[in-house]
Amino acid sequence: MMIHGERTLEDAILEFTLGETNEALMILSQLSQNQPGSIDVWRALAEVQLSANKISEAEKACLRALEINSDDLTSTVSLARILVKKGDKKGAEEASVKARLLGWKEELAQENEEG
């Protein structure tokens, strides 16, 4: 038997995958309090909140992830998607441009490692 406080990010992802969005949000909320420096927790929380149409909460979680790493490609892409849903066209365009630049930087870094 698992004690509620011991739930993991993987548990939250599984619950979400099984369609248990509220359970996933509860786990992720607890994890965000217990692991406030975990970018993976904030990314997941933003995505689950976005899917639940909790746009302002999703934006806050995504911005928290970007506080941890402002050059995180995944969080930047999520922010663009959140801002589109929010109706912030200018912000979404800015986030999309930043995401493209980060993607290119990653590609160049991989090419340099391989070459």
Side-chain angles (χ1 to χ4, degrees):
M1 184 168 134
M2 185 178 294
I3 298 171
H4 187 69
E6 296 177 11
R7 305 288 303 263
T8 65
L9 179 59
E10 290 74 21
D11 293 327
I13 293 167
L14 177 61
E15 293 291 349
F16 179 68
T17 303
L18 295 173
E20 299 294 334
T21 303
N22 289 335
E23 183 68 19
L25 285 172
M26 192 170 63
I27 295 168
L28 289 166
S29 177
Q30 183 69 46
L31 288 172
S32 70
Q33 292 173 16
N34 295 343
Q35 302 171 29
S38 172
I39 195 167
D40 292 330
V41 168
W42 291 107
R43 282 178 183 156
L45 185 56
E47 285 298 318
V48 174
Q49 287 172 327
L50 178 60
S51 77
N53 215 27
K54 296 181 178 205
I55 307 304
S56 64
E57 293 94 333
E59 183 179 12
K60 286 176 192 167
C62 194
L63 291 173
R64 181 66 187 99
L66 287 166
E67 283 177 20
I68 295 168
N69 180 357
S70 62
D71 288 337
D72 181 55
L73 177 58
T74 302
S75 298
T76 305
V77 170
S78 290
L79 181 61
R81 292 176 46 237
I82 290 165
L83 294 175
V84 164
K85 208 151 194 192
K86 184 179 173 183
D88 180 354
K89 186 178 178 192
K90 186 176 187 300
E93 287 173 356
E94 290 171 2
S96 293
V97 168
K98 183 177 179 183
R100 277 195 293 278
L101 292 173
L102 291 171
W104 290 332
K105 276 173 74 175
E106 281 187 13
E107 282 182 40
L108 290 173
Q110 286 175 354
E111 287 175 12
N112 288 336
E113 287 173 10
E114 293 169 2

